[in-house]
Amino acid sequence: MNTLQSISYPIHFNNIAAELNKFIKQGNYSHFFILTDEHTVKHCLPLIQEGLDQKDNFDIIEINAGEESKSIDFCVGIWKMLIDFGADRNSLLINLGGGVITDLGGFAASTYKRGIDFVHIPTTLLSQVDASVGGKNGIDIFNLKNIIGTFTQPKAVFIEHRFLQTLPERQVKSGLAEMLKHGLIADAAYWEKLKHSNPENLDAELIYDSIAIKNKVVIADPTERGLRKILNFGHTIGHAIESYSLNNDENPLTHGEAVVAGMICETYLSHKKAGLSLTAMEEIINTLLGIYGKYPLKESTFTQLNDIMRKDKKNLGGNINCSLLSNIGESKIDNICTDAELVESLKFYASLEYAQA
Ligand code: GLY
């Protein structure tokens, strides 16, 4: 469990300080920058800095934590700092943070002077198992998530298990949602193992296995022409619920919580349209509700949610496409879902009986 090879770069799991030092030395960079936010600069940078050979020989670019920073304004701020610090094409950007930092930093670096090298040191479970692998980067605009961005692979990814101790449980569970998704779409044995795991003490091996599942998919289809779409299971509806919640709830859902709600709706559609058995559907829904509880989805929001789905960047030819499950561990891409079916799945979710423990 040391290193996984991805499309064109390594994902390191152990001795990350030594690997990072080796990487910086070999790259012969003129200048390096660390992109952080107010949390990672405090809790994670010291852990990285203590192992760096060049302890003080870098500039820090700090942004505010939170999804609001994944905007063109913050991207302009990063470009400006790179210009002000005199970053040339031989500079390196180290993205130290969660998905906002890796997505925004990856986008800023891939466009600055037509692209400079960047690496990710993901600090949340969600970014370790999802955002940091596969080369997707981007920003949100006009309330649409990730609508502007590129596929540009990092030069390396470094996974530090110790960072998880700095996270609140709700953030760990947000990442766990993507791990559960990886089991559901591609590996029934992994799902079986994971559904009995303890989110407060997640084994490093389970994280490695989750990244290995995603990695296999993105190697087979780096730019999401086919197979990679299976990673979108739960996300067509989940992203709509997430956008809605961000704009309307005082305490918005995390990405993982929204994806879980989306996975439950899309599990229902999988049963209706993709051959998923009733027993499997019930097992999935009971497991997810048991871990995450239920979001109080109101019928009055269904039209608005459906409108958000209509603007999803994954739609093709005016059709809303979902990736659905045909079994636990098996999935099917390109299932066209009508507005009526999507709304029916939201109704199904809203009608689920769930007693909060
Ligand atoms: N987050 C899904 C993907 O990377 O394709």
Side-chain angles (χ1 to χ4, degrees):
M1 209 188 77
N2 280 329
T3 303
L4 274 172
Q5 187 56 36
S6 193
I7 299 163
S8 54
Y9 57 94
I11 306 167
H12 298 290
F13 290 84
N14 284 323
N15 299 323
I16 74 160
E19 294 296 348
L20 184 60
N21 279 319
K22 217 186 315 168
F23 174 85
I24 291 173
K25 215 168 181 174
Q26 279 167 359
N28 206 14
Y29 291 105
S30 56
H31 211 137
F32 71 96
F33 299 87
I34 304 188
L35 181 65
T36 62
D37 61 35
E38 70 268 26
H39 302 310
T40 60
V41 78
K42 198 156 84 202
H43 301 297
C44 304
L45 183 61
L47 288 178
I48 295 297
Q49 202 170 1
E50 74 187 12
L52 275 183
D53 290 342
Q54 302 185 47
K55 285 192 176 28
D56 301 308
N57 190 19
F58 58 84
D59 287 304
I60 293 179
I61 303 178
E62 186 181 324
I63 60 165
N64 301 337
E67 187 74 21
E68 298 74 34
S69 298
K70 224 172 105 177
S71 66
I72 192 66
D73 294 337
F74 276 85
C75 188
V76 168
I78 295 171
W79 287 328
K80 170 134 185 16
M81 286 195 81
L82 290 171
I83 293 168
D84 290 349
F85 282 128
D88 62 18
R89 278 181 144 172
N90 198 25
S91 302
L92 171 71
L93 183 66
I94 298 176
N95 298 314
L96 178 68
V100 169
I101 292 262
T102 56
D103 281 13
L104 175 67
F107 181 66
S110 68
T111 43
Y112 179 77
K113 297 198 172 175
R114 298 207 174 86
I116 58 170
D117 285 0
F118 63 92
V119 298
H120 295 318
I121 310 181
T123 58
T124 61
L125 181 61
L126 181 61
S127 59
Q128 292 188 345
V129 298
D130 189 17
S132 67
V133 176
K136 281 187 181 175
N137 62 53
I139 54 170
D140 307 334
I141 202 165
F142 311 130
N143 283 333
L144 297 170
K145 276 177 66 71
N146 303 322
I147 201 81
I148 307 292
T150 74
F151 282 104
T152 310
Q153 305 304 328
K155 291 292 171 200
V157 175
F158 303 87
I159 307 287
E160 172 58 73
H161 192 246
R162 284 182 300 170
F163 287 157
L164 301 193
Q165 288 153 11
T166 67
L167 297 176
E169 193 190 334
R170 198 170 164 214
Q171 288 305 323
V172 174
K173 281 170 78 176
S174 182
L176 178 63
E178 294 287 351
M179 296 167 72
L180 289 160
K181 180 198 77 180
H182 289 158
L184 286 175
I185 59 173
D187 191 331
Y190 180 68
W191 159 261
E192 206 46 52
K193 233 189 313 176
L194 196 58
K195 71 182 199 197
H196 300 298
S197 67
N198 174 7
E200 282 173 42
N201 188 15
L202 270 185
D203 208 70
E205 207 165 304
L206 286 173
I207 298 169
Y208 176 92
D209 290 345
S210 184
I211 295 174
I213 294 172
K214 174 162 184 184
N215 192 40
K216 211 159 132 190
V217 174
V218 300
I219 287 175
D221 176 20
T223 53
E224 203 170 303
R225 302 286 160 201
L227 180 74
R228 185 167 177 169
K229 293 183 195 172
I230 65 171
L231 295 170
N232 295 330
F233 170 61
H235 283 64
T236 302
I237 298 178
H239 269 158
I241 295 175
E242 186 178 13
S243 300
Y244 174 84
S245 176
L246 274 174
N247 291 317
N248 293 280
D249 293 339
E250 207 171 301
N251 179 17
L253 290 174
T254 62
H255 176 72
E257 288 164 347
V259 164
V260 164
M263 286 200 284
I264 292 175
C265 296
E266 293 183 26
T267 294
Y268 171 78
L269 292 173
S270 299
H271 173 57
K272 267 204 76 149
K273 291 171 68 79
L276 183 73
S277 71
L278 183 64
T279 323
M281 173 178 101
E282 285 171 352
E283 178 195 322
I284 297 167
I285 294 177
N286 290 336
T287 304
L288 295 178
L289 285 181
I291 304 174
Y292 293 91
K294 197 180 146 192
Y295 177 62
L297 204 56
K298 294 191 201 77
E299 184 135 9
S300 56
T301 63
F302 293 173
T303 311
Q304 197 179 339
L305 289 170
N306 192 221
D307 286 346
I308 304 174
M309 290 175 216
R310 289 238 137 261
K311 296 193 185 107
D312 193 295
K313 65 184 175 312
K314 301 186 292 293
N315 298 343
L316 281 178
N319 292 317
I320 298 179
N321 259 310
C322 289
S323 298
L324 300 177
L325 305 176
S326 48
N327 206 339
I328 293 180
E330 288 165 29
S331 35
K332 279 188 187 161
I333 60 168
D334 292 337
N335 300 275
I336 294 176
C337 294
T338 63
D339 291 343
E341 287 168 332
L342 293 159
V343 169
E344 187 182 318
S345 77
L346 294 170
K347 270 195 187 134
F348 168 81
Y349 181 91
S351 72
L352 281 171
E353 301 269 335
Y354 173 71
Q356 197 84 37

